[in-house]
Amino acid sequence: MAFNIDLIREMETPFYYYDMQLLDDTLQAVNSNIAGRPVKVHYAVKANANPGILKRISTAGFGADCVSGGEISLALEAGFKPEDIFFAGVGKTDREIRQGLEAGIGSFVVESLEELEVIARLADKMNRTARITLRVNPNIDAHTHHYITTGLEENKFGIDMRLLDKAVNFAVCNPNLDLIGLHFHIGSQITTNEPFVVLSERVNELVSRYRAHGVNFRIIDLGGGLGVDYDDPDANPIPDFKGYFDTIMANLKVEPGQQIHCEPGRSIVAQCGSLISRVVYVKNGMERKFVILDAGMNDLLRPALYGAHHKIQNLTADPDSRQEYYDVVGPVCESSDVFGQEELLPETHRGDIFALRSAGAYGESMASRYNARDLPGSLLV
Ligand code: LLP
């Protein structure tokens, strides 16, 4: 990722800086790996819904995976075609379901029998047919942080395999529902291909079992989850899409006419974004030195919420200055407002400019106004 430091110096901080060339290269890497394969990629809007980013992604030919009426509106404004929008989430409200039906979205990704019944009722009232993808909880451990693992029976997501027959029957028999596929999402920031092998095997079993009973699925949606390198973003700016798609295509039995969908979020946008911040104070404690930034947990929540670590860089320090250990913190009144402890950094001064790297995914989109702070701005370069 390249920084235009002259431009950055002129900006008020904090803000998100996006390297649009890296985003384009990442989108291109995805597209070249799915070319000639029956694969369609729906970008998970929750990772980053910045309008400029969404527009680039829709222009590259991707669909959108949305989880709220608000995300559907943003996706439509950014130019995603309604039929390329899938709508997931365990708590879709009646209003959101009507919005989806009105817009003619590609599919509702249904997470319970209860939701299926409500969609059928609303579709009937509106004289529409709702395309349905059933989200299955495949009970697979994705070996990732417990806050972002979603495919275990204890999680709230998806339909338990033991209830799936009932949901399939209901959907097949209802004239207002068109059952088009099955959906799976096992977790996020998955850094080995093994969970995707296990998932593919689970999908094969299910698909062939239903096929034997005369139910064919046009779409198999594998969700998102491919991880990124937070430790060394410059060594691995573009995730291993080849490994990911090769693994899926080698392990999944794709039936003729079937389309494989996936919903990457983090792997598309994480590395092209950094949170840029100025040093407000370098505070000398008795035991530690603190770098206090003007960006806090309200701007980038991942460290406080998941104990995540984003690589910290001083963009303006003299590279030849001696290195020191600093705790890098934000200004918010919470002890968890910490970006890094004992970070080895060049000698740092008030006014220096810092970059918190790999922050393009779940950074700006999770920002809040806690402590009545402004939302971070953004710069697309
Ligand atoms: N599809 C579904 C149904 C999902 O729930 C998610 C993410 C994705 C796709 C995209 O997954 P990705 O490719 O980004 O791993 N805020 C957390 C991540 C939460 C992910 C939630 N679901 C974080 O900052 O790590």
Side-chain angles (χ1 to χ4, degrees), residues 1 18-34 40-49 52-58 60-65 80 188-189 223-230 236-241 244-245 262-273 358-362:
M1 160 159 189
Y18 297 107
D19 178 341
M20 298 304 274
Q21 185 59 53
L22 179 54
L23 176 60
D24 284 344
D25 292 347
T26 306
L27 295 170
Q28 171 58 35
V30 172
N31 277 335
S32 62
N33 276 293
I34 62 172
K40 169 106 189 151
V41 179
H42 283 206
Y43 165 66
V45 172
K46 64 173 87 64
N48 189 318
I53 302 267
L54 287 184
K55 184 131 208 101
R56 274 298 163 102
I57 298 174
S58 76
F62 287 48
D65 156 44
F80 289 94
S188 199
Q189 184 54 14
L226 180 62
V228 304
D229 188 345
Y230 282 102
N236 293 300
I238 298 180
D240 180 17
F241 292 112
Y244 172 73
F245 286 111
C262 63
E263 304 169 338
R266 187 190 316 268
S267 54
I268 305 293
V269 288
Q271 302 294 31
C272 74
S358 313
Y362 307 107

Side-chain angles (χ1 to χ4, degrees), residues 110 133 172 252 266 295 308:
V110 175
T133 306
V172 168
L252 211 58
R266 187 190 316 268

Side-chain angles (χ1 to χ4, degrees), residues 13-14 276-284 290-296 299 314 316 327-332 337 339 348-354 373:
T13 45
I276 305 293
S277 175
R278 276 194 175 80
V279 176
V280 191
Y281 298 107
V282 178
K283 171 173 167 177
N284 289 300
F290 295 96
V291 168
I292 304 177
L293 298 178
D294 64 4
D299 302 295
N314 185 331
T316 51
D327 282 10
V328 180
V329 303
V332 171
D337 189 22
F339 293 118
T348 294
H349 303 280
R350 172 176 163 82
D352 281 354
I353 297 175
F354 271 48
R373 289 166 52 77

Side-chain angles (χ1 to χ4, degrees), residues 28 71 124 235 239 288 371:
Q28 171 58 35
E71 284 191 358
D124 180 31
R288 285 170 183 238
N371 280 195

